mmCIF file of all heavy atoms in Angstrom:
data_model
loop_
_atom_site.group_PDB
_atom_site.id
_atom_site.type_symbol
_atom_site.label_atom_id
_atom_site.label_comp_id
_atom_site.label_asym_id
_atom_site.label_seq_id
_atom_site.Cartn_x
_atom_site.Cartn_y
_atom_site.Cartn_z
ATOM 1 N N MET A 223 -52.442 18.068 -1.840
ATOM 2 C CA MET A 223 -53.668 17.696 -1.191
ATOM 3 C C MET A 223 -53.341 16.577 -0.206
ATOM 4 O O MET A 223 -52.501 15.717 -0.643
ATOM 5 C CB MET A 223 -54.739 17.286 -2.119
ATOM 6 C CG MET A 223 -55.235 18.359 -3.023
ATOM 7 S SD MET A 223 -56.453 17.853 -4.341
ATOM 8 C CE MET A 223 -57.966 18.311 -3.488
ATOM 9 N N VAL A 224 -53.890 16.527 0.919
ATOM 10 C CA VAL A 224 -53.682 15.333 1.815
ATOM 11 C C VAL A 224 -55.182 14.778 2.162
ATOM 12 O O VAL A 224 -56.042 15.526 2.460
ATOM 13 C CB VAL A 224 -52.956 15.724 3.076
ATOM 14 C CG1 VAL A 224 -52.925 14.547 4.131
ATOM 15 C CG2 VAL A 224 -51.627 16.164 2.762
ATOM 16 N N PHE A 225 -55.225 13.442 2.055
ATOM 17 C CA PHE A 225 -56.494 12.756 2.363
ATOM 18 C C PHE A 225 -56.360 11.741 3.436
ATOM 19 O O PHE A 225 -55.313 11.076 3.485
ATOM 20 C CB PHE A 225 -57.036 12.065 1.069
ATOM 21 C CG PHE A 225 -57.153 12.937 -0.184
ATOM 22 C CD1 PHE A 225 -56.668 12.467 -1.410
ATOM 23 C CD2 PHE A 225 -57.720 14.178 -0.062
ATOM 24 C CE1 PHE A 225 -56.709 13.304 -2.510
ATOM 25 C CE2 PHE A 225 -57.850 14.909 -1.223
ATOM 26 C CZ PHE A 225 -57.462 14.505 -2.391
ATOM 27 N N GLY A 226 -57.346 11.647 4.197
ATOM 28 C CA GLY A 226 -57.414 10.558 5.148
ATOM 29 C C GLY A 226 -58.488 9.451 4.609
ATOM 30 O O GLY A 226 -59.528 9.741 4.120
ATOM 31 N N MET A 227 -58.039 8.213 4.725
ATOM 32 C CA MET A 227 -58.891 7.066 4.186
ATOM 33 C C MET A 227 -58.987 5.921 5.102
ATOM 34 O O MET A 227 -58.014 5.679 5.869
ATOM 35 C CB MET A 227 -58.343 6.665 2.869
ATOM 36 C CG MET A 227 -58.563 7.719 1.687
ATOM 37 S SD MET A 227 -57.583 7.597 0.276
ATOM 38 C CE MET A 227 -56.071 8.239 0.886
ATOM 39 N N VAL A 233 -57.223 4.001 -1.275
ATOM 40 C CA VAL A 233 -55.998 4.816 -1.658
ATOM 41 C C VAL A 233 -55.757 4.576 -3.184
ATOM 42 O O VAL A 233 -55.482 5.485 -3.877
ATOM 43 C CB VAL A 233 -54.738 4.263 -0.822
ATOM 44 C CG1 VAL A 233 -53.543 5.120 -1.267
ATOM 45 C CG2 VAL A 233 -55.055 4.439 0.655
ATOM 46 N N VAL A 236 -58.347 6.346 -5.349
ATOM 47 C CA VAL A 236 -58.109 7.792 -5.442
ATOM 48 C C VAL A 236 -56.943 8.092 -6.462
ATOM 49 O O VAL A 236 -56.892 9.008 -7.195
ATOM 50 C CB VAL A 236 -57.849 8.374 -3.969
ATOM 51 C CG1 VAL A 236 -57.317 9.773 -4.106
ATOM 52 C CG2 VAL A 236 -59.104 8.293 -3.206
ATOM 53 N N PHE A 249 -47.318 11.153 -5.497
ATOM 54 C CA PHE A 249 -48.440 10.446 -4.798
ATOM 55 C C PHE A 249 -47.833 9.593 -3.747
ATOM 56 O O PHE A 249 -47.349 8.529 -3.969
ATOM 57 C CB PHE A 249 -49.289 9.627 -5.724
ATOM 58 C CG PHE A 249 -50.617 9.179 -5.181
ATOM 59 C CD1 PHE A 249 -51.726 9.946 -5.379
ATOM 60 C CD2 PHE A 249 -50.677 8.039 -4.336
ATOM 61 C CE1 PHE A 249 -53.036 9.552 -4.729
ATOM 62 C CE2 PHE A 249 -51.867 7.670 -3.765
ATOM 63 C CZ PHE A 249 -53.073 8.358 -4.001
ATOM 64 N N GLU A 250 -47.811 10.164 -2.488
ATOM 65 C CA GLU A 250 -47.171 9.504 -1.427
ATOM 66 C C GLU A 250 -48.236 8.859 -0.437
ATOM 67 O O GLU A 250 -49.328 9.458 -0.345
ATOM 68 C CB GLU A 250 -46.224 10.431 -0.703
ATOM 69 C CG GLU A 250 -45.191 10.990 -1.547
ATOM 70 C CD GLU A 250 -44.043 9.891 -1.681
ATOM 71 O OE1 GLU A 250 -43.612 9.358 -0.698
ATOM 72 O OE2 GLU A 250 -43.690 9.660 -2.887
ATOM 73 N N PHE A 251 -47.761 7.956 0.304
ATOM 74 C CA PHE A 251 -48.695 7.240 1.171
ATOM 75 C C PHE A 251 -48.081 7.053 2.539
ATOM 76 O O PHE A 251 -46.812 6.823 2.655
ATOM 77 C CB PHE A 251 -49.114 5.956 0.542
ATOM 78 C CG PHE A 251 -49.331 4.733 1.442
ATOM 79 C CD1 PHE A 251 -50.548 4.444 2.076
ATOM 80 C CD2 PHE A 251 -48.261 3.913 1.690
ATOM 81 C CE1 PHE A 251 -50.692 3.389 2.825
ATOM 82 C CE2 PHE A 251 -48.381 2.808 2.471
ATOM 83 C CZ PHE A 251 -49.655 2.520 3.022
ATOM 84 N N PHE A 252 -48.923 7.019 3.638
ATOM 85 C CA PHE A 252 -48.342 6.632 4.973
ATOM 86 C C PHE A 252 -49.559 6.129 5.819
ATOM 87 O O PHE A 252 -50.700 6.482 5.469
ATOM 88 C CB PHE A 252 -47.618 7.772 5.615
ATOM 89 C CG PHE A 252 -48.125 9.088 5.523
ATOM 90 C CD1 PHE A 252 -49.009 9.675 6.584
ATOM 91 C CD2 PHE A 252 -47.970 9.902 4.392
ATOM 92 C CE1 PHE A 252 -49.598 10.946 6.403
ATOM 93 C CE2 PHE A 252 -48.556 11.219 4.292
ATOM 94 C CZ PHE A 252 -49.362 11.650 5.301
ATOM 95 N N PHE A 270 -56.332 16.260 10.307
ATOM 96 C CA PHE A 270 -57.827 16.158 10.445
ATOM 97 C C PHE A 270 -58.316 15.968 11.823
ATOM 98 O O PHE A 270 -57.524 15.509 12.736
ATOM 99 C CB PHE A 270 -58.362 15.029 9.554
ATOM 100 C CG PHE A 270 -57.759 15.033 8.145
ATOM 101 C CD1 PHE A 270 -56.975 13.927 7.710
ATOM 102 C CD2 PHE A 270 -57.936 16.067 7.359
ATOM 103 C CE1 PHE A 270 -56.491 13.950 6.489
ATOM 104 C CE2 PHE A 270 -57.391 16.121 6.037
ATOM 105 C CZ PHE A 270 -56.683 15.008 5.595
ATOM 106 N N TYR A 276 -55.322 5.250 6.869
ATOM 107 C CA TYR A 276 -54.346 5.506 5.803
ATOM 108 C C TYR A 276 -54.461 7.000 5.385
ATOM 109 O O TYR A 276 -55.500 7.605 5.482
ATOM 110 C CB TYR A 276 -54.691 4.614 4.568
ATOM 111 C CG TYR A 276 -54.555 3.107 4.859
ATOM 112 C CD1 TYR A 276 -55.651 2.426 4.971
ATOM 113 C CD2 TYR A 276 -53.325 2.551 5.108
ATOM 114 C CE1 TYR A 276 -55.621 1.007 5.272
ATOM 115 C CE2 TYR A 276 -53.225 1.165 5.295
ATOM 116 C CZ TYR A 276 -54.338 0.460 5.429
ATOM 117 O OH TYR A 276 -54.279 -0.920 5.705
ATOM 118 N N TYR A 277 -53.304 7.481 4.841
ATOM 119 C CA TYR A 277 -53.222 8.821 4.373
ATOM 120 C C TYR A 277 -52.528 8.863 3.070
ATOM 121 O O TYR A 277 -51.637 8.048 2.802
ATOM 122 C CB TYR A 277 -52.437 9.687 5.290
ATOM 123 C CG TYR A 277 -53.088 9.837 6.660
ATOM 124 C CD1 TYR A 277 -52.930 8.876 7.682
ATOM 125 C CD2 TYR A 277 -53.911 10.975 6.937
ATOM 126 C CE1 TYR A 277 -53.574 8.994 8.936
ATOM 127 C CE2 TYR A 277 -54.520 11.036 8.198
ATOM 128 C CZ TYR A 277 -54.351 10.116 9.189
ATOM 129 O OH TYR A 277 -55.023 10.228 10.371
ATOM 130 N N ALA A 278 -52.934 9.731 2.151
ATOM 131 C CA ALA A 278 -52.204 9.954 0.863
ATOM 132 C C ALA A 278 -51.922 11.458 0.756
ATOM 133 O O ALA A 278 -52.743 12.301 1.149
ATOM 134 C CB ALA A 278 -53.096 9.461 -0.274
ATOM 135 N N LEU A 279 -50.782 11.729 0.182
ATOM 136 C CA LEU A 279 -50.446 13.141 -0.096
ATOM 137 C C LEU A 279 -50.164 13.176 -1.571
ATOM 138 O O LEU A 279 -49.365 12.354 -2.123
ATOM 139 C CB LEU A 279 -49.088 13.529 0.672
ATOM 140 C CG LEU A 279 -48.563 14.945 0.355
ATOM 141 C CD1 LEU A 279 -47.786 15.425 1.534
ATOM 142 C CD2 LEU A 279 -47.704 15.022 -0.873
ATOM 143 N N LEU A 280 -50.885 14.053 -2.276
ATOM 144 C CA LEU A 280 -50.644 14.152 -3.671
ATOM 145 C C LEU A 280 -50.279 15.568 -4.056
ATOM 146 O O LEU A 280 -50.717 16.546 -3.323
ATOM 147 C CB LEU A 280 -51.820 13.533 -4.535
ATOM 148 C CG LEU A 280 -53.212 14.109 -4.299
ATOM 149 C CD1 LEU A 280 -53.410 15.271 -5.246
ATOM 150 C CD2 LEU A 280 -54.164 12.958 -4.749
ATOM 151 N N ILE A 375 -46.378 5.238 -3.421
ATOM 152 C CA ILE A 375 -47.318 4.230 -3.938
ATOM 153 C C ILE A 375 -47.575 4.348 -5.349
ATOM 154 O O ILE A 375 -47.960 3.369 -6.075
ATOM 155 C CB ILE A 375 -48.574 4.275 -3.057
ATOM 156 C CG1 ILE A 375 -49.029 2.822 -2.847
ATOM 157 C CG2 ILE A 375 -49.655 5.067 -3.668
ATOM 158 C CD1 ILE A 375 -49.344 2.550 -1.456
#
Side-chain angles (χ1 to χ4, degrees):
Chain A
M223 296 175 98
V224 173
F225 304 135
M227 286 163 282
V233 181
V236 169
F249 191 96
E250 297 285 309
F251 142 89
F252 42 96
F270 312 121
Y276 301 104
Y277 295 82
L279 178 152
L280 56 87
I375 219 132

